[in-house]
Amino acid sequence: MKPTRFIDSVNCAIEGIIHTARTQKHMRWHFLAALVLLVTVLFLRVSPLEFTLLTVSICFVLFAELLNTAIEALVDLVSPEYHPVAKIAKDVAAGAVLVASIGAAVMGYLILSRYMFPVYKEALAMAGSPTEMVAVVSLLMVVIAVVILKAVSGKGTPLEGGLPSGHAAVAFAIATLVSILTQDPIISILVIAMAVMVSHSRLLLRIHSLREVFLGAVTGTIITLVVMLLFRTLR
């Protein structure tokens, strides 16, 4: 029945949001991203206008996800069996969420980059400027560490499967080296994105689990940072 009181309407709306968060994994990720963003904004002390723009972007993404969930539920009700038109409706609704997310990401980048990039650049400069020898030694140590860990875990082969993911370890080691060599936040973000894509491909191919990929990324990053910091200290 249609609610007659305002409080009942609000309760229905909140139940819809809770249902979406409970059943849709992407909605939970959106809420987590919004929480992290709000905490970050609190520490960065952005201007009221920038805060307003970020808030509108967050609300727009959440609105798109809610609308997508409503459309999916309606399509499932009308067409329980597979139908190409039902697929189009769901795909278009999902596309709306993607467009809203891209817009929010662009907005967040334009606003937050001028606050975070200087700090990020200083953090990259703390590791110094590694030489070619340091870069080669770092990569070799990452490869050796991966081989040892795979031998200890007894899973997979040297080039496929096992703990940790060698592709993720090497990809993040290279991303760390390039980030510190260039000390450019934009280049750093791009190479890290490529490392994430390489790691994600291991999941898509079902060669590694999420745990194996994560440990590989951590292994490559930490070993590379330790080698560069030791080189800087000894020099």
Side-chain angles (χ1 to χ4, degrees):
M1 295 179 62
K2 183 177 181 180
T4 57
R5 298 185 305 167
F6 174 75
I7 189 65
D8 295 330
S9 299
V10 174
N11 284 331
C12 289
I14 295 175
E15 287 178 1
I17 296 174
I18 294 175
H19 170 78
T20 304
R22 184 186 300 117
T23 59
Q24 303 297 318
K25 179 178 65 176
H26 290 163
M27 189 63 165
R28 295 193 291 272
W29 281 110
H30 291 322
F31 272 124
L32 179 60
L35 180 62
V36 172
L37 180 60
L38 290 176
V39 173
T40 303
V41 165
L42 181 64
F43 283 100
L44 294 179
R45 298 180 181 179
V46 300
S47 67
L49 177 60
E50 292 171 334
F51 178 76
T52 301
L53 293 174
L54 289 172
T55 303
V56 171
S57 299
I58 292 173
C59 292
F60 188 56
V61 173
L62 297 179
F63 166 77
E65 188 63 53
L66 289 168
L67 190 61
N68 177 46
T69 304
I71 292 175
E72 287 184 350
L74 183 60
V75 169
D76 291 339
L77 177 64
V78 176
S79 178
E81 303 296 331
Y82 174 80
H83 194 283
V85 177
K87 179 180 182 302
I88 291 175
K90 289 187 175 183
D91 290 348
V92 172
V97 179
L98 179 60
V99 171
S101 300
I102 292 174
V106 172
M107 181 70 71
Y109 169 78
L110 293 176
I111 292 176
L112 299 179
S113 60
R114 69 189 188 93
Y115 292 96
M116 301 182 67
F117 276 11
V119 178
Y120 187 40
K121 191 171 183 177
E122 291 179 5
L124 293 176
M126 290 176 62
S129 181
T131 63
E132 294 180 0
M133 183 179 295
V134 174
V136 173
V137 170
S138 299
L139 290 176
L140 289 176
M141 290 189 64
V142 169
V143 173
I144 293 172
V146 169
V147 173
I148 293 175
L149 290 173
K150 284 191 175 186
V152 172
S153 65
K155 296 181 180 179
T157 64
L159 296 178
E160 185 173 343
L163 179 70
S165 168
H167 286 76
V170 174
F172 273 89
I174 294 174
T176 303
L177 285 169
V178 173
S179 298
I180 296 177
L181 278 169
T182 60
Q183 297 183 6
D184 188 308
I186 296 179
I187 294 178
S188 176
I189 291 173
L190 292 176
V191 293
I192 291 174
M194 292 186 66
V196 170
M197 292 172 65
V198 170
S199 303
H200 187 245
S201 69
R202 312 307 287 173
L203 296 176
L204 293 178
L205 294 173
R206 300 183 184 277
I207 297 175
H208 288 284
S209 65
L210 180 60
R211 175 170 170 263
E212 293 168 347
V213 169
F214 177 76
L215 289 177
V218 172
T219 299
T221 303
I222 290 179
I223 290 177
T224 305
L225 288 175
V226 169
V227 171
M228 287 189 292
L229 290 174
L230 284 175
F231 171 78
R232 181 180 179 181
T233 301
L234 295 175
R235 187 180 61 177

